[in-house]
């Protein structure tokens, strides 16, 4: 595969969404770093995010397959049926208008982010609350060659691991969570093009399970991977976050959004190919996405969205056990925060209680 093909294929900046960017204690980042890490910046989110028809929704990244549930909720009229009109999906991934920034400045009504980005902002005084979690597992993984697989953190010992600068602290958090020291591995600072893995210059690579492993395989490099979330760092991702005042003043509207979103995500999970088609031909039409690759990502993504607990409780929910696991993981990442400071699952629990037919 040529370098030009790699530049077009691999999502080099994607890690900025959920990574624990440098700064502070091991695994921690300050509020400024958090906001920058999750920033979006296409200038779309100007104006008030105060609730109205067509609420402003800040995505964590570009309009690719990751937001298939929202696409289906628009396409199938679920938001419209709930009196929300057509939400305005705002592209993320650049600099200037991050989810937490957009929320605290009242420029967006709801945003999609991750606990390790929301927690430091809350700890500095922002009244934000996580009301749902689309990804039950964060997509961070270590990818390695199928010929010399690394399947656990312990198997990284003595091996060369490629780590991008923006992911140094999330990698440190993985080591800490598994009682390992940085000296146990040979950390190699890399960029986002995983060529060094294919050439054998490194043995493992910090990656997203929904991106590099798929693209490497499609380009002939068979590989193995393990998720950080399966090894003592079970952070959720693509969390839906609102201001506390929005819950206080517009509880029914938040519930209406969650109901529509749940329906959209059930559709997305049921139809990966259709989800990819929407991403490629409509919502992300200007991104040059490839339908076959987006379909593969949708299938892999379903493994993050669906779990035994969502089978029992419904999509986008967080069980008490998962919340507690996230609080422990945040502590390991340097954030001491109480569950009631960052998670409020009462709204989505009410949605399912009031609409038992939602669960499929």
């Amino acid at each position: 595969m040529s370098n030009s093909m790699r530049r077009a294929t691999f999502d080099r900046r994607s890690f900025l969404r959920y990574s624990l960017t440098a700064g502070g204690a091991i695994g921690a980042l300050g509020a400024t770093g958090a906001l920058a890490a999750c920033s979006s910046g296409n200038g779309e989110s100007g104006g008030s995010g105060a609730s109205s028809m067509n609420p402003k929704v800040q995505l964590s990244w570009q309009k690719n397959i990751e937001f298939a549930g929202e696409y289906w909720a628009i396409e199938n009229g679920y938001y419209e049926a709930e009196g929300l009109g057509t939400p305005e999906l705002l592209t993320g991934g650049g600099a200037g208008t991050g989810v937490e920034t957009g929320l605290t400045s009242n420029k967006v009504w709801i945003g999609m982010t991750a606990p390790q980005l929301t927690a430091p902002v809350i700890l500095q005084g922002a009244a934000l609350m996580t009301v749902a979690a689309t990804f039950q597992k964060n997509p961070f993984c270590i990818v390695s060659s199928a010929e010399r697989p690394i399947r656990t953190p312990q198997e990284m010992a003595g091996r060369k691991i490629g780590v991008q600068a923006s992911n140094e602290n999330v990698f440190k958090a993985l080591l800490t969570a598994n009682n390992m020291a940085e000296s146990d591995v040979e950390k190699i600072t890399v960029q986002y093009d995983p060529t060094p893995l294919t050439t054998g210059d490194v043995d493992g690579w910090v990656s997203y399970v929904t991106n590099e492993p798929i693209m490497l395989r499609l380009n002939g490099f068979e590989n193995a991977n393990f998720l950080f979330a399966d090894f003592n760092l079970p952070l959720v991702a693509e969390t839906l976050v609102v201001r506390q005042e929005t819950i206080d003043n517009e509880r029914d509207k938040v519930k209406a959004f969650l109901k529509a979103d749940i329906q959209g995500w059930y559709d997305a999970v049921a139809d990966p190919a259709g989800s990819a088609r929407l991403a490629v031909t409509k919502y992300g039409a200007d991104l040059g996405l490839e339908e076959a690759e987006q379909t593969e990502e949708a299938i892999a993504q379903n493994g993050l969205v669906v779990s035994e607990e969502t089978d029992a409780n419904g999509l986008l929910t967080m069980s008490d056990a998962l919340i507690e696991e996230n609080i422990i993981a945040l502590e390991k990442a340097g954030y001491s925060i109480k569950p009631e400071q960052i998670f409020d699952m009462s709204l989505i629990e009410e949605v399912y209680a009031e609409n038992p037919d939602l669960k499929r």
Side-chain angles (χ1 to χ4, degrees), residues 14-345:
S14 63
F15 302 109
L16 295 176
R17 287 169 293 173
Y18 306 134
S19 62
L20 305 175
T21 325
I26 284 185
L29 79 154
T32 302
L35 298 177
C38 195
S39 62
S40 67
N42 62 351
E44 292 179 284
S45 58
S48 174
S51 179
S52 63
M53 290 287 284
N54 315 317
K56 294 181 182 294
V57 180
Q58 181 66 67
L59 307 179
S60 66
W61 188 237
Q62 298 174 348
K63 295 175 184 176
N64 62 10
I65 194 63
E66 288 181 34
F67 310 103
E70 286 70 44
Y71 306 155
W72 281 116
I74 292 173
E75 294 295 312
N76 290 336
Y78 300 141
Y79 295 123
E80 187 77 36
E82 294 301 314
L84 297 171
T86 302
E88 184 181 356
L89 305 181
L90 307 175
T91 296
T97 54
V99 172
E100 283 78 8
T101 301
L103 287 167
T104 56
S105 63
N106 200 34
K107 289 184 177 180
V108 297
W109 187 73
I110 192 168
M112 297 173 188
T113 178
Q116 65 269 30
L117 300 179
T118 306
V121 183
I122 291 173
L123 290 172
Q124 291 207 352
L128 303 179
M129 193 62 64
T130 300
V131 295
T134 306
F135 287 4
Q136 299 290 293
K137 293 182 177 182
N138 194 291
F140 272 116
C141 74
I142 296 293
V143 62
S144 56
S145 166
E147 295 181 356
R148 298 187 65 210
I150 298 173
R151 301 189 185 278
T152 69
Q154 288 71 29
E155 290 182 5
M156 295 190 298
R159 310 284 291 274
K160 295 179 180 179
I161 308 298
V163 183
Q164 304 78 14
S166 62
N167 299 319
E168 293 246 352
N169 282 334
V170 74
F171 182 67
K172 290 178 185 177
L174 174 69
L175 295 175
T176 300
N178 289 279
N179 300 313
M180 296 177 68
E182 287 188 76
S183 58
D184 291 334
V185 303
E186 186 176 350
K187 182 173 64 68
I188 307 296
T189 300
V190 297
Q191 299 300 313
Y192 295 103
D193 181 341
T195 301
L197 180 62
T198 68
T199 57
D201 292 325
V202 297
D203 302 305
W205 193 268
V206 175
S207 168
Y208 272 6
V209 73
T210 53
N211 186 234
E212 276 78 355
I214 293 170
M215 296 313 307
L216 287 165
R217 178 173 53 78
L218 290 176
N219 285 282
F221 185 80
E222 295 300 323
N223 59 84
N225 69 76
F226 72 83
L227 282 169
F228 289 22
D230 290 338
F231 289 91
N232 303 319
L233 207 65
L235 293 165
V236 293
E238 294 299 356
T239 46
L240 276 65
V241 176
V242 297
R243 293 179 293 277
Q244 180 62 51
E245 67 179 15
T246 303
I247 298 175
D248 297 339
N249 301 326
E250 301 179 298
R251 187 179 186 89
D252 287 345
K253 199 149 203 171
V254 178
K255 288 168 61 178
F257 186 94
L258 292 176
K259 180 183 176 183
D261 225 42
I262 287 166
Q263 291 173 283
W265 272 104
Y266 272 112
D267 290 350
V269 167
D271 188 2
S275 299
R277 196 169 304 117
L278 284 176
V280 172
T281 65
K282 185 171 183 178
Y283 292 90
D286 60 340
L287 298 177
L289 302 171
E290 296 181 4
E291 192 165 327
E293 183 270 331
Q294 289 288 288
T295 301
E296 292 261 9
E297 288 202 15
I299 294 169
Q301 179 172 279
N302 282 353
L304 305 177
V305 174
V306 178
S307 68
E308 289 184 5
E309 289 187 348
T310 62
D311 285 343
N313 304 319
L315 295 184
L316 277 70
T317 57
M318 286 185 72
S319 68
D320 290 343
L322 184 57
I323 288 173
E324 182 59 28
E325 288 175 358
N326 271 256
I327 294 299
I328 293 171
L330 287 170
E331 181 74 36
K332 292 174 181 176
Y335 308 123
S336 181
I337 192 167
K338 296 178 180 179
E340 61 270 21
Q341 290 179 277
I342 186 171
F343 296 115
D344 183 355
M345 293 297 118

